[in-house]
């Protein structure tokens, strides 16, 4: 009973620690050039490469653009924070504080979530103003953006768990993971029209479910049912966060 009471009493302290980590990340890392390049410019270039020269109605690609912006921005912060902390010799100081490791990583996840969710509003607004796209289910679109941003931010924190000393090494690993998952997600080619081998790979990408959910919010046909999209994105979020905690503990035990 005493242990349970102490655990409950520690929750506000750990939550406060997560919010302090969030504030620190926002002030130090949101405007770092690698975050802006890989998180903001990447989806713009991909959009231009996808749209230019192809007879596709602009309104039909707005949901894909929103999902792709969310994918890159939400997962851009996490992979860079820990390497910067390690190279700045502040990582050891951070993990020696009374704040538990899951609370520290939760702060990183919230940082990526807020960064991605805020930036995803830009393609939504541009799509509504400049194209014939329209939102048919606003609550579904907002819920889809929230759970997708959480899932992608958890992926970013998982990628940061590998013991890289420089941000460039982590971003290389990050793009090796994110780009293949992008191409099999149905963003560029609908999953139903992809080759059989790609249709088999599409379910392993969290972006597939996010894209499907956002398309439903815009009133477009989606490959997966809505309930499955929510279920898989929650499953990806929990699994990747727990895996990140596990890997961080393993590397800490080895002194890396």
């Amino acid at each position: 009973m005493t242990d349970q009471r102490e655990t409950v009493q520690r929750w506000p302290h750990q939550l406060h620690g997560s919010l302090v980590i969030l504030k620190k990340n926002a002030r130090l890392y949101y405007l770092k050039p690698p975050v802006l390049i890989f998180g903001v410019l990447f989806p713009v270039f991909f959009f231009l490469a996808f749209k230019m020269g192809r007879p596709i109605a602009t309104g039909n690609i707005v949901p894909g653009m929103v999902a792709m912006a969310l994918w890159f921005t939400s997962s851009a912060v996490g992979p860079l924070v820990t390497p910067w902390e390690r190279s700045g010799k502040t990582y050891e100081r951070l993990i020696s504080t009374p704040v538990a490791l899951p609370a520290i990583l939760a702060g990183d996840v919230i940082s990526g979530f807020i960064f991605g969710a805020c930036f995803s509003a830009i393609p939504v607004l541009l799509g509504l103003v400049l194209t014939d796209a329209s939102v048919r289910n606003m609550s579904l679109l907002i819920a889809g953006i929230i759970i997708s941003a959480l899932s992608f931010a958890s992926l970013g924190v998982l990628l940061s768990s590998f013991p890289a000393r420089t941000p460039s090494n982590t971003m290389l690993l990050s793009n090796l993971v994110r780009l293949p998952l992008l191409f099999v997600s149905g963003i560029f080619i609908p999953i139903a029209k992809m080759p059989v081998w790609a249709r088999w790979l599409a379910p392993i990408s969290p972006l597939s479910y996010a894209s499907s959910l956002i398309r439903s919010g815009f009133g477009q046909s989606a490959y997966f049912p809505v309930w499955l999209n929510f279920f898989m994105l929650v499953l990806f979020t929990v699994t990747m966060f727990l895996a990140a905690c596990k890997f961080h503990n393993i590397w800490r035990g080895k002194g890396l």
Side-chain angles (χ1 to χ4, degrees), residues 204-231:
I204 67 173
S205 172
L207 184 55
S208 301
Y209 305 100
S211 172
S212 181
L213 200 51
I214 292 172
R215 287 184 192 282
S216 298
F218 278 92
Q220 298 182 4
S221 59
Y223 188 77
F224 299 110
V226 170
W227 70 267
L228 182 61
N229 294 326
F230 277 110
F231 174 78

Side-chain angles (χ1 to χ4, degrees), residues 45-46 79 83 90 95 109-110 113 144 166 170 175 181 194 198 204 211 225 233 252 254:
F45 291 142
F46 271 113
T90 56
I95 60 177
V109 170
I110 299 171
F113 161 73
T166 60
T170 307
N175 287 324
L181 293 178
M194 292 195 303
I204 67 173
S211 172
L233 287 171
R252 282 178 59 191
K254 295 183 178 180

